Amino acid sequence: MQFTSPVLVGRSEETSALWAAVSRAENRHGGAMFLVGEPGIGKSRLASELVAHASRRGFRVLKGRASRAVPLRALCEAVLSAFRKADAPNEQQLGAYLPVLLRMTPGAPDGMPDPAVVRAEAVLRLLTAEKTVVVLEDLHDADGETLAVVDYLLDNLADEPVLLLATLRPHPEAAQRLANEAVARRVANILRLNGLNDAEVAELARYRLGEPAPADVLAKLTKIADGVPFVVEELLNGDLQAGVPPTVAAATLQRVDALEPECVALLEAAAVFGPAFPLDVVAAVAGAQDATKLLLDAEKAQLVHGHRFRHALTADAITGRMTPTARAELARKAAQTAESLRPNELELIAELWEQGGDLSRAVGCLVRAGKHAAAAGRFGTAVELLERGQSLHNDDPDLAADLLDALAAVLPLAAVVVPADNGARAFALGERLQQTLTAMHAKPERRNAVRLAQARVAAVSGQWERGLDLLAAAKETCAAVDVVKATLLLGLNQLDLLPKARELAERAAATGTPEIVCEALEVLTRCTRGQDLAEARQHIQRWLQVAEQHGLAAWRLRALLELGITDKYLTGGVDALLAARQAALDSGAIVILIAADLHLGATYLVYGEYELAAKYGASAGDAAGKLGLHALQALAVAIEAGIASLHGDRKATDKALALLREHGGSEEIWSYTSAICELMEERYERALAEFEEVEKAVREPRILRGTFYQGPRLLVRVAHGLAGWSEHERLAESHLSQVRLHRTYFAWSRAILLGRDGRRTEADAAAQEALELSTGLGLPRYLGLRLAGPCALADGWGEPLEWLREAEEHFHSNDVHAVAAACRAVLREAGAPQQRRRRDHDTVPAELRKAGVTVREFEVLKLVVERFGNAEIAERLFLSPRTVERHVASLRARTGATSRADLIKQARPLIEGWSRMSVGPRIGRLLPKPE
């Protein structure tokens, strides 16, 4: 007689549905199936049949089993099973999500919390790397964060070669509700398994016995088993000669008692852990000398399979016959042993202490487990564990206080779990804590700690006044209170509160823990960067130093990003941003990676490097869209709109702006982008009207934010005689003068005003400053050339003809036809020789064109390579030596050449055989491409 049937009986409809789902997944029509049924109904057997079928079809199979004692266990097991394979996924397949997945495997270090949606996307990337069947068993035991990830997967499998199969019982309701909602969204199907009918029971018995069952045995099977396959098999595993045992437990225990005593002791120790057990701990508890042999004996008796009982009912049967005292004593021994051998499995140890009746130790483990989960970014799990500890009645006031402290600490972190609720869930938890503290007659400092945590929640959710009210009620001063209050004051966005916020942040930075120091320095950065970017940079450098010194990985990445942003404003450089991007990529910090890409895209937009701007913007937009980060996705759309506007493409600009509004983009970005497109269409009155709309849209105090429209607006107004020295000085003396982009516009405006006043020498100097500042830039340089040229012609200063020729070449090469035509018209009116569109305009080497080298610069470059001096080049090209000097400086900046000799060395092979060359480390090194 076989212990289990070699043939799956009575599930033809279910197997057909599952096989069809596998076929759909093979054709990239993925989805999910839920197998729902009572214990023993055959869910696991059906899942194993599916695994075998999928494996034969060449599918990768990943498996995990949920556990109430171990949050995220099912997903972690599935991830781990992928990395155990010889062809484990690599960085090329998973990119920045690889570190996120590795943080889900055992032994991963803390310190880099992953938002739940990032973790979910990482699992999705793993599953979709190849055709995959992922089996998650016992989903009814899963924690909330596991269910959230599963829910995310369900909505993203439709076009992937993936089938997700989950088994679950009808109760508890959370997993069942998830399945029902998925079916309603048409992203999954449910197969509800019912008991076998009498004919199927008879067929199952025949397969098990090798012959038809006697009529009396069959009658008892149909009466007792109620069609449950596991019960039928367990009953048949009993002594048929003695008759069918009256219960499944009796049938199971009959086989247990047939084993040697040492094996029985091993099984009893294992049963305390539930359906699955750690063999090393179990062997130590039972004092087994050869646990592997004993486990093999139990497997032959069809009681276990690997390190699991063949069914949960088997473990229940074994523990069910123990006395409560014996069971509790065995659980305590198991808890002590697990603490020694597996000290990190805190949830499991807590459950064992709870079974053993030692609630103090159980709560202590849950406190530590909650803190560990929070450190790993599993904030929802942390709250669940700590609230579980709170539900255990315990009279130890110190332990209760520790538990409440841990809950208070995780309270603000829990506010980001469901951000759409505006912190409501976390505030409700805080109120429950306050009620508990009142009932305990807790000391004021305990209540103040909870109020501080609630104030942090207010800061996370943008409820500034509520947070300040909570801190006022706390009536306590310390570094933590100071930094939270500073954050709340800064959030109110009122200039008169800025000094107080800064004072509090400075005090916290002087006395706080390393984490609080980083937090305070972030506040100081925000307080000062609107007034003094150099000072803000000093705060960031200290912040970075503290984070690196104390191993605060998340704070380090945030500091690197802020350093990159600050340098972008100060110098227009991208080196620090690229370093932040690489660090985020290496660490799998996806949100920071998206932010870095957005800033890089915006910076390359200013450079006029539209291809790179588009690539970085698209990279950020795709990632943000996947993760539902709509505000960041809107900024990616803004880059797309910016590229269209700078080409004067009204149709593409309006299309992108319409999409931007759908994503909730700001009116400021909308109006500014539309205004730039008007400039590129030579419609200056309409552009100024759009700039006025930007003025109306900007409500925040200028000192607290960057504004990117003031520079070009001033230049247009000055060039058209609508603004004079007072408006120029007001802006030139503001915080915007720290930003290279604005300094360029201000220099052009100053040059025009000086020329208009007849101060030609000063106008020339201001123009030279503008040209130097704008080297390597796009719009700030060429809009300045376009608008300053006619003014310089009229007032007799500068080199307007050369400027207009350079502007014309730029706008023509970028297909901005209206501005290019306007430049030609001004040149024609000035009597300048008409510049025919030379045949070599489109034959400048592609690498040099990509770096922004114009036709005129290419002509200069060819003569530089032939080792002519500036004076000789000027004579040959009918230029002034000063203009040649400027072109050479621009060529060095565009190519990254460190000297004239380096420029010659780089350019010679490109000029001699550029058609056979590709962008290499010579010319492309200043223009790094997105990963």
Side-chain angles (χ1 to χ4, degrees):
M1 181 185 73
Q2 300 185 50
F3 281 103
T4 59
S5 170
V7 176
L8 183 65
V9 174
R11 300 298 183 202
S12 58
E13 291 185 11
E14 291 86 349
T15 53
S16 295
L18 291 174
W19 281 205
V22 170
S23 295
R24 289 195 297 273
E26 200 162 21
N27 292 310
R28 301 193 71 87
H29 297 294
M33 301 288 286
F34 291 95
L35 297 182
V36 181
E38 298 294 343
I41 204 68
K43 302 184 295 296
S44 294
R45 175 62 187 272
L46 195 53
S48 67
E49 293 288 330
L50 172 72
V51 165
H53 174 74
S55 296
R56 290 192 295 271
R57 299 282 288 266
F59 277 78
R60 174 184 60 169
V61 177
L62 308 180
K63 295 188 289 185
R65 188 180 299 270
S67 167
R68 189 174 75 91
V70 185
L72 284 176
R73 174 175 167 171
L75 295 170
C76 292
E77 286 184 353
V79 168
L80 191 59
S81 66
F83 285 102
R84 284 193 183 119
K85 298 179 181 297
D87 55 343
N90 54 40
E91 187 174 354
Q92 185 176 358
Q93 294 171 299
L94 300 172
Y97 287 93
L98 178 59
V100 179
L101 290 167
L102 292 176
R103 282 193 284 275
M104 295 179 67
T105 57
D110 294 337
M112 182 59 65
D114 295 305
V117 68
V118 169
R119 188 183 295 119
E121 177 64 18
V123 175
L124 178 65
R125 299 277 179 115
L126 173 67
L127 299 186
T128 57
E130 58 184 278
K131 65 178 187 178
T132 302
V133 166
V134 57
V135 179
L136 303 178
E137 294 206 62
D138 293 344
L139 201 63
H140 52 273
D141 277 338
D143 58 292
E145 290 192 26
T146 296
L147 296 180
V149 173
V150 171
D151 196 39
Y152 183 90
L153 296 176
L154 296 175
D155 288 328
N156 290 280
L157 295 179
D159 300 318
E160 303 292 346
V162 178
L163 173 62
L164 186 152
L165 178 72
T167 69
L168 62 148
R169 300 175 189 174
H171 302 285
E173 296 180 355
Q176 179 67 65
R177 184 166 55 250
L178 169 71
N180 291 339
E181 291 171 355
V183 171
R185 297 198 306 271
R186 298 186 178 181
V187 295
N189 291 301
I190 292 178
L191 295 177
R192 301 188 186 277
L193 302 187
N194 298 312
L196 304 178
N197 59 35
D198 290 352
E200 290 166 342
V201 169
E203 185 180 4
L204 177 59
R206 179 170 63 82
Y207 279 119
R208 284 280 285 99
L209 298 173
E211 59 185 18
D216 58 334
V217 170
L218 193 57
K220 290 179 181 179
L221 285 175
T222 54
K223 179 180 179 181
I224 297 173
D226 198 25
V228 177
F230 174 75
V231 176
V232 172
E233 293 187 338
E234 287 297 285
L235 293 172
L236 290 173
N237 283 335
D239 187 353
L240 289 177
Q241 300 301 322
V244 177
T247 66
V248 175
T252 300
L253 295 175
Q254 187 178 46
R255 282 182 289 128
V256 170
D257 291 337
L259 298 169
E260 57 184 283
E262 194 176 9
C263 188
V264 174
L266 184 79
L267 292 175
E268 288 177 343
V272 172
F273 289 86
F277 51 85
L279 184 59
D280 56 337
V281 179
V282 168
V285 172
Q289 298 300 314
D290 190 351
T292 304
K293 175 186 176 300
L294 296 175
L295 196 67
L296 184 60
D297 292 341
E299 191 161 352
K300 289 177 180 177
Q302 286 292 297
L303 294 166
V304 300
H305 180 70
H307 295 179
R308 296 188 56 83
F309 284 99
R310 201 165 68 84
H311 198 279
L313 295 176
T314 306
D316 292 343
I318 294 172
T319 56
R321 72 172 176 181
M322 298 181 193
T323 66
T325 302
R327 190 164 55 246
E329 183 179 347
L330 191 58
R332 288 193 295 271
K333 186 176 181 181
Q336 287 178 324
T337 307
E339 282 185 333
S340 174
L341 297 178
R342 299 195 174 202
N344 293 327
E345 297 189 15
L346 293 166
E347 297 94 335
L348 175 64
I349 297 168
E351 194 163 273
L352 290 169
W353 281 124
E354 185 180 350
Q355 283 188 55
D358 195 331
L359 298 186
S360 293
R361 290 191 174 184
V363 173
C365 285
L366 288 171
V367 169
R368 299 203 307 276
K371 290 178 178 178
H372 179 79
R378 304 198 323 262
F379 306 132
T381 294
V383 172
E384 287 180 19
L385 291 168
L386 294 169
E387 287 190 313
R388 211 171 106 202
Q390 195 180 18
S391 70
L392 298 177
H393 298 290
N394 192 279
D395 298 327
D396 185 340
D398 290 334
L399 191 59
D402 288 344
L403 179 64
L404 291 170
D405 284 347
L407 273 165
V410 81
L411 180 61
L413 303 175
V416 302
V417 176
V418 190
D421 75 349
N422 206 29
R425 173 180 172 182
F427 278 121
L429 174 58
E431 291 306 314
R432 292 202 302 276
L433 289 181
Q434 290 287 13
Q435 292 169 9
T436 302
L437 289 167
T438 300
M440 290 172 56
H441 303 290
K443 295 178 181 179
E445 53 264 31
R446 296 287 187 189
R447 305 194 66 165
N448 288 340
V450 176
R451 286 196 183 95
L452 174 61
Q454 288 179 293
R456 282 191 177 279
V457 173
V460 170
S461 56
Q463 300 182 59
W464 320 115
E465 292 88 353
R466 183 175 186 176
L468 290 168
D469 288 344
L470 285 161
L471 289 183
K475 297 179 181 179
E476 181 181 335
T477 299
C478 63
V481 171
D482 284 344
V483 76
V484 175
K485 190 171 183 179
T487 302
L488 293 165
L489 289 171
L490 193 62
L492 289 172
N493 224 0
Q494 297 176 15
L495 293 181
D496 58 326
L497 297 176
L498 199 61
K500 183 61 176 177
R502 182 168 180 167
E503 176 190 341
L504 290 167
E506 287 173 343
R507 194 163 68 190
T511 61
T513 63
E515 290 88 347
I516 288 177
V517 170
C518 289
E519 189 176 359
L521 289 168
E522 182 179 36
V523 173
L524 284 170
T525 299
R526 293 171 58 199
C527 284
T528 57
R529 68 182 170 197
Q531 302 165 298
D532 190 337
L533 279 171
E535 183 184 352
R537 195 177 192 280
Q538 290 176 348
H539 290 311
I540 297 168
Q541 286 178 318
R542 183 185 166 199
W543 166 9
L544 180 60
Q545 182 181 18
V546 171
E548 290 180 340
Q549 182 179 351
H550 295 278
L552 305 176
W555 280 110
R556 173 180 174 270
L557 287 173
R558 288 166 67 175
L560 285 171
L561 178 63
E562 286 296 333
L563 190 63
I565 295 169
T566 304
D567 281 1
K568 176 187 83 167
Y569 289 134
L570 276 170
T571 67
V574 295
D575 287 350
L577 269 176
L578 289 168
R581 184 185 195 278
Q582 188 60 51
L585 188 66
D586 293 341
S587 303
I590 305 299
V591 177
I592 290 180
L593 179 63
I594 293 171
D597 279 351
L598 287 171
H599 283 286
L600 284 165
T603 305
Y604 283 122
L605 194 60
V606 173
Y607 283 177
E609 296 294 337
Y610 304 125
E611 184 179 343
L612 283 170
K615 286 183 178 180
Y616 278 111
S619 172
D622 290 346
K626 271 281 192 181
L627 300 176
L629 303 174
H630 302 300
L632 296 181
Q633 191 176 16
L635 294 176
V637 175
I639 291 174
E640 180 183 345
I643 294 170
S645 70
L646 285 164
H647 283 83
D649 188 336
R650 171 53 63 181
K651 183 176 180 181
T653 300
D654 288 346
K655 182 180 178 181
L657 289 177
L659 184 60
L660 179 63
R661 280 190 161 163
E662 289 179 15
H663 286 288
S666 73
E667 285 295 323
E668 179 183 353
I669 294 176
W670 200 98
S671 298
Y672 169 80
T673 306
S674 185
I676 294 300
C677 190
E678 302 285 4
L679 292 179
M680 297 300 98
E681 294 175 299
E682 287 282 310
R683 300 160 77 174
Y684 290 97
E685 287 187 9
R686 294 186 62 170
L688 287 173
E690 294 281 10
F691 280 134
E692 294 305 318
E693 291 300 315
V694 181
E695 280 280 285
K696 296 176 186 177
V698 176
R699 306 189 193 284
E700 299 91 340
R702 301 278 167 76
I703 205 165
L704 295 182
R705 63 190 313 282
T707 51
F708 41 81
Y709 68 94
Q710 295 279 26
R713 177 176 178 268
L714 174 67
L715 176 58
V716 173
R717 285 175 55 78
V718 167
H720 287 82
L722 301 173
W725 280 109
S726 60
E727 186 170 332
H728 172 272
E729 294 303 328
R730 177 175 61 81
L731 289 172
E733 294 173 3
S734 74
H735 66 291
L736 296 177
S737 63
Q738 304 170 79
V739 181
R740 178 189 173 193
L741 175 72
H742 290 301
R743 288 203 306 275
T744 305
Y745 287 119
F746 297 162
W748 282 123
S749 301
R750 186 168 67 255
I752 294 171
L753 290 170
L754 288 166
R756 196 169 288 162
D757 288 348
R759 298 155 66 180
R760 298 175 183 176
T761 302
E762 293 173 84
D764 286 346
Q768 184 61 32
E769 180 186 352
L771 290 167
E772 290 172 358
L773 283 169
S774 66
T775 299
L777 299 183
L779 184 68
R781 181 179 187 87
Y782 297 104
L783 182 62
L785 294 172
R786 160 68 185 96
L787 294 177
C791 296
L793 273 172
D795 297 324
W797 56 277
E799 300 179 23
L801 298 182
E802 186 60 36
W803 295 346
L804 288 165
R805 288 191 185 102
E806 183 182 342
E808 192 276 339
E809 287 180 352
H810 169 80
F811 289 114
H812 177 84
S813 64
N814 283 284
D815 297 323
V816 187
H817 302 300
V819 185
C823 291
R824 290 194 292 271
V826 176
L827 287 166
R828 187 167 52 249
E829 290 174 9
Q834 287 300 297
Q835 179 178 334
R836 292 189 303 111
R837 183 55 51 199
R838 295 179 293 271
R839 289 180 60 196
D840 62 346
H841 178 83
D842 295 324
T843 56
V844 174
E847 296 86 343
L848 296 174
R849 286 203 311 272
K850 189 175 292 186
V853 174
T854 65
V855 173
R856 177 67 72 175
E857 287 174 342
F858 184 51
E859 291 176 340
V860 171
L861 179 61
K862 287 189 289 185
L863 294 175
V864 168
V865 169
E866 293 179 26
R867 300 193 179 277
F868 285 97
N870 287 359
E872 295 173 292
I873 295 172
E875 184 177 350
R876 284 173 174 261
L877 296 180
F878 303 100
L879 300 172
S880 70
R882 191 174 180 180
T883 298
V884 173
E885 181 181 348
R886 190 174 69 246
H887 282 320
V888 173
S890 177
L891 285 164
R892 285 178 57 186
R894 294 184 191 282
T895 61
T898 57
S899 64
R900 192 181 187 101
D902 188 28
L903 177 63
I904 294 171
K905 181 180 178 182
Q906 292 187 40
R908 187 182 300 281
L910 289 172
I911 291 173
E912 291 175 351
W914 66 265
S915 62
R916 295 185 299 277
M917 302 293 292
S918 60
V919 176
R922 295 179 298 277
I923 299 300
R925 67 187 181 199
L926 268 187
L927 307 172
K929 296 182 180 179
E931 298 292 336

